[in-house]
Amino acid sequence: MQRARNAVAHLALLVLAHLTPPGACDVAGGAGSVNALPAGGSSARLAPSFDAATPRNVTALVGKSAYLSCRVRNLGNRTVSWIRHRDLHILTVGGYTYTSDQRFQATHSPQTDDWTLHIKWAQQRDAGVYECQVSTQPVRSFFVTLHVVVPSARILGGPDLHVDIGSTINLTCLIQFSPEPPAYIFWYHEDEVISYDSSRGGVSVVTEKGAATTSYLLVQDAAPADSGRYSCSPSNAEVASVRVHVLNGERPAAMQTGSAGLSNSSHCIIALLAACALHARLLRAQLAS
């Protein structure tokens, strides 16, 4: 009951604080700033303070959870609140939620100094500055900027690629703006999933995961039947597509290849895959004879 009274009292103080003229409260300007604490004296040493090592920029994937941390030392009997800056909406006070949007929740473990704002199913509209505020007089604040990203996929060299008959179709799919690599990537020819162990043979895929994920598709001995739409479908991004044209001696004005824009390391990987495919073909020929 006492905690509830304290939360209500602090909610009233928050409203008054936001009605106070600029400069009247000890709030530092700029996203990510931490208020200066009074200098000297034992009271200054015991005053609440923010851990400057706490991340001030957080990136979340759209549709996933976002966690904004605020670490407060020497909180004592003060209360921590989270405020959304774009509309000065008070989201939480202590462990209580003061918004009808139930995606927002404040969590705190008594064994730690962390007060975390949990945003479920983050949307692009949730991006912006959030204020972690301590109920001192004047209030102290710590600002965190949330970035909500939508991963994107693209196939380099598109929208049309031209290759000679008998050469290698080499497609590179780049997945960007994702806090975590995709769980899987499927390649399609027209509407059919490409099978790497089909009777056709000569199909290879290699994926490099990191800040940006790259998936390479190689199709050896291109034939007219290999023409058509190729699609890269990551688990966390929209499908990217290109149209491949296998040419029988024609030379279009704008000749393109699937290796456009590749790095040196990418060329090494492709060369290795081509060598493996050639070795497999020679082995099959020996076994057949």
Side-chain angles (χ1 to χ4, degrees), residues 16-74:
L16 290 174
H18 284 283
L19 293 176
T20 306
C25 294
D26 183 18
V27 179
S33 59
V34 181
N35 293 45
L37 300 180
S42 59
S43 61
R45 288 193 299 271
L46 297 176
S49 63
F50 298 105
D51 185 348
T54 305
R56 301 174 183 178
N57 286 279
V58 175
T59 300
L61 185 64
V62 67
K64 301 292 185 180
S65 289
Y67 297 93
L68 280 58
S69 295
C70 181
R71 188 168 299 144
V72 185
R73 312 292 191 194
N74 305 318

Side-chain angles (χ1 to χ4, degrees), residues 129-214:
V129 177
Y130 290 79
E131 177 184 351
C132 171
Q133 189 179 100
V134 177
S135 61
T136 53
Q137 289 295 325
V139 296
R140 290 188 169 89
S141 298
F142 181 85
F143 297 90
V144 181
T145 301
L146 174 63
H147 307 272
V148 180
V149 297
V150 180
S152 66
R154 65 188 179 96
I155 298 177
L156 303 184
D160 289 276
L161 298 174
H162 300 82
V163 298
D164 288 324
I165 191 169
S167 63
T168 298
I169 299 173
N170 171 20
L171 303 180
T172 302
C173 182
L174 182 64
I175 298 94
Q176 296 176 294
F177 313 119
S178 174
E180 57 189 22
Y184 57 83
I185 300 173
F186 290 144
W187 283 92
Y188 291 83
H189 181 212
E190 297 298 346
D191 296 321
E192 297 292 330
V193 177
I194 294 177
S195 175
Y196 312 133
D197 57 357
S198 67
S199 58
R200 182 204 185 282
V203 178
S204 305
V205 170
V206 63
T207 299
E208 292 180 329
K209 294 186 176 182
T213 296
T214 308

Side-chain angles (χ1 to χ4, degrees), residues 203-243:
V203 178
S204 305
V205 170
V206 63
T207 299
E208 292 180 329
K209 294 186 176 182
T213 296
T214 308
S215 181
Y216 306 96
L217 170 67
L218 277 80
V219 181
Q220 306 286 332
D221 295 328
D226 296 318
S227 296
R229 186 181 72 254
Y230 285 79
S231 303
C232 166
S233 178
S235 63
N236 60 349
E238 294 294 325
V239 175
S241 299
V242 296
R243 185 161 290 278

Side-chain angles (χ1 to χ4, degrees), residues 1-11 79 93 95-96 98:
M1 182 63 71
Q2 184 61 37
R3 289 180 59 195
R5 292 196 188 97
N6 289 341
V8 172
H10 182 48
L11 182 61
T79 306
V93 178
Y96 296 91
Y98 286 89

